[in-house]
Amino acid sequence: MAKQAPQSDPAQDAPEVSAPKHSAVGLPAVGHTVRMAAEQMGARRAVSTLLKVNQHTGFDCPGCAWPEPDKPHAVEFCENGAKAVAEEATERRIRAEFFAAHPVAELAERSGYWLGQQGRLTQPMLLDEGATHYTPVSWDDAFALIAEELRALDTPDAAAFYTSGRTSNEAAFAYQLFARRLGTNNLPDCSNMCHESSGSALTETLGVGKGSVSLQDLYQADLIIVAGQNPGTNHPRMLAALERAKRAGATIVSVNPLPEAGLERFKNPQNVRGVVGNGTKLTDLFLQIRLGGDLALFRAVNRMILEQDGVDRAFVAEHCHGFEEFEAQALKTDRDEVLAATGLPWEQIEELGRLVLASRKVIVCWAMGLTQHKHSVPTIREVVNFLLLRGNVGRPGAGVCPVRGHSNVQGDRTMGIFERPSAAFLDALGAEFDFEPPREHGHDAVDTIRAMRDGRVKVFLAMGGNFVAATPDTEVTEAAMRRCRLTVHVSTKLNRSHLVTGARALILPTLGRTDRDTTAAGDQFVSVEDSMGQVHASRGRLRPPADDLLSETAIVCRVAQAVFGPEDSVPWAEFAADYDTLRDRIARVVPGFEDYNTKLHRPGGFTLPHGPRDSRTFPTATGKANFTVNPLTAPEVPPGRLLLQTLRSHDQYNTTIYGLDDRYRGIKGGRRVVLVNPADAAELGLTEGGYTDLVSEWTDGSERRAPHFRVVHYPVARGGAAAYYPETNVLVPLDSTADISNTPTSKAVVVRFEPDSGPVA
Ligand SMILES: Nc1nc2c(c(=O)[nH]1)N[C@H]1C(S)=C(S)[C@@H](COP(=O)(O)OP(=O)(O)OC[C@H]3O[C@@H](n4cnc5c(=O)[nH]c(N)nc54)[C@H](O)[C@@H]3O)O[C@H]1N2
Ligand SMILES: Nc1nc2c(c(=O)[nH]1)N[C@H]1C(S)=C(S)[C@@H](COP(=O)(O)OP(=O)(O)OC[C@H]3O[C@@H](n4cnc5c(=O)[nH]c(N)nc54)[C@H](O)[C@@H]3O)O[C@H]1N2
Ligand SMILES: [Mo]
């Protein structure tokens, strides 16, 4: 039997600290996995469910977007995937009595951890204007209410439709169609806060905003650079791929301000070596870079390649544009500026240059450490310059590998969840469904907050996610949310965004990946796209938490029916009943999805076309791969301050907190910690174990405070500090965003330290 959810909210400000670990996974992780899952799901349900994760006939892991191998291992999930599954497949339930017992104001005082522990949502709930409690509402009344509020708007642009990246292709396609049919491109999504910088840089330079490598490429690479990513926690199955690459002879370089355990050494729980031995040493060269120093690092290496005649001249001549301008600037790269920006010894940069020049096939993998800075887009462009120089795009064993976060965030974008859709996409959509889609660009996540703050967006609907906790500038964002007429969340679990509401609010519970989805037309399945452009089916098997729970797709279609009535040019009712009919339409609108229904039945699904990868065709403005000129910039930090990055602990999935430990970093029982280099700590008078407030400073003179963080002396690169998100989102100014991509600069917040003002209430 699954354990009861905790009644009290455990104190979160008493973390214990021990030395960081030097290897990841192995037996402790396996034990931890099974224990966590069994606590939520009961042992039998846990084991039978976990064995279906990422199998050809099972469901896609609701954890990260790392792809499955062609022949999945019998146990193709990781510790953190199992936590994601347990979080969703828990046997705990939230029913109407729970909301009757807890006023919204009381729930708003609870931690995200406590809210998540209460179990799956089971009934549509309404918080009416002026009410203190959520009360049950029928599905039909809920849909009628949404339709009423949407119809009352002066313009469809006064509504915004957020998506988190777990939403299936089918639901995402229906959702964006609904928004555009209504007349708006206001489709902000989690990607705006995540890999938007990668999408912006890659679309401009290569013509496709996605990664260009497959797992096979990783296995064949000579050199893999992992920059700004912590796969041991966030993409644990990637470690198995790196191990395989390593055994095939690859050299691995990690570029990170922190020595992350998973990148140091990996103990693969799927083989004997990993369970009883020391595991595999993964990183050959660790570059402990300063926060935001990556642009300078790649520029320096590019200069070395140019000076040492390492350029693939034939590739550049045939496939690239803009080489001369790039070369002229790169040759001027100043060594002192590079040293200051990276904080690395010059010999290490030279060592990287030597490895690069000795390698024919090079892959660069990256995640949030590269995407969440002011200069993220130029940084990723410079990574592309680096790969183009030696022809490392569009041949086996080489390419760009932005490692995506949410399990279907890439698929959602492919399905049209984007505030700036291409004209070609809108043309195809309009032609298929016989309407004129809006052409004006919509709001991304940050612009949505501004629009709600200024009263321009009045209805906010979220397909999953936890908008107020995931976005920056928590106080501003929460006030913005409260100005709305109506806020609606389609969710599996209770979270903070349900408690910071507009005048009226709805919680619409929905099926997750693990749940069986049965409609009048029979059992349905959905499909997803992984980080490497592989599309495949996902089938849940568990009995849903309530009998009348609707899928995300069904919810979208029912809202649409309530808004447009039965005579619409889009057959919403048919879509809701039979997802094959929806996929037949996707097949006609989205390139690469021809024969969608047939291709999904292949084991492992199918791979989407990718011009640069498949044939070195680059659908850019110039028709070639573009070299770019990127001024050497790095964050500036005034004296007496540190640059704070906000990152994930090992026991969380974004705003979902599974537990209070960060095992590999040696932190237990609490999350309000700030990791500071001992030398910086000494200069700033921050003693190990002491408590401090973090105060962020923004260019307009405004300040933001996050009280009561325990100081942890930790081997982070000088000048930087690290603390967990979402607790630190209060510190990130709304206007502090990346150039071009508008992504919040979650990895670069200037902070000073002030005396502790005591625990948060
Ligand atoms: N278990 C689990 N899995 C997850 C998630 C989760 O929360 N939990 N989240 C999912 C999502 S949505 C995403 S986007 C991914 C996130 O995956 P990651 O990007 O790995 O997540 P972060 O914890 O933000 O880690 C950022 C890493 O970049 C480093 N870094 C920070 N700044 C810099 C920099 O300037 N330069 C360099 N070179 N490195 C830097 C940090 O030290 C850290 O190692 O994971 C996905 N998978
Ligand atoms: N400071 C700081 N802020 C960040 C980041 C950072 O590194 N630092 N990272 C950013 C990144 S990379 C991302 S991706 C965003 C994440 O932003 P979001 O995607 O908005 O946040 P999540 O925490 O992943 O959302 C969790 C909620 O999703 C709901 N949910 C889970 N599964 C399902 C499902 O199958 N269907 C539905 N309908 N709902 C479901 C549950 O109710 C759960 O509470 O946060 C961003 N914010
Ligand atoms: Mo993400």
Side-chain angles (χ1 to χ4, degrees), residues 408-425:
N408 197 38
V409 60
Q410 186 158 316
D412 291 345
R413 194 46 76 80
T414 307
M415 290 297 117
I417 302 292
F418 193 24
E419 73 283 357
R420 291 174 282 134
S422 70
F425 179 85

Side-chain angles (χ1 to χ4, degrees), residues 1 37-38 41-51 91 542:
M1 194 48 219
M41 302 157 71
R44 282 237 322 263
R45 181 166 153 118
V47 170
S48 72
T49 304
L50 290 175
L51 289 176
E91 292 191 316
L542 296 177

Side-chain angles (χ1 to χ4, degrees), residues 29 121 145 172 244 352 537 610 709 714:
L121 296 160
L145 191 154
R244 185 160 160 188
L352 175 61
H610 185 293
F709 280 74
Y714 199 88

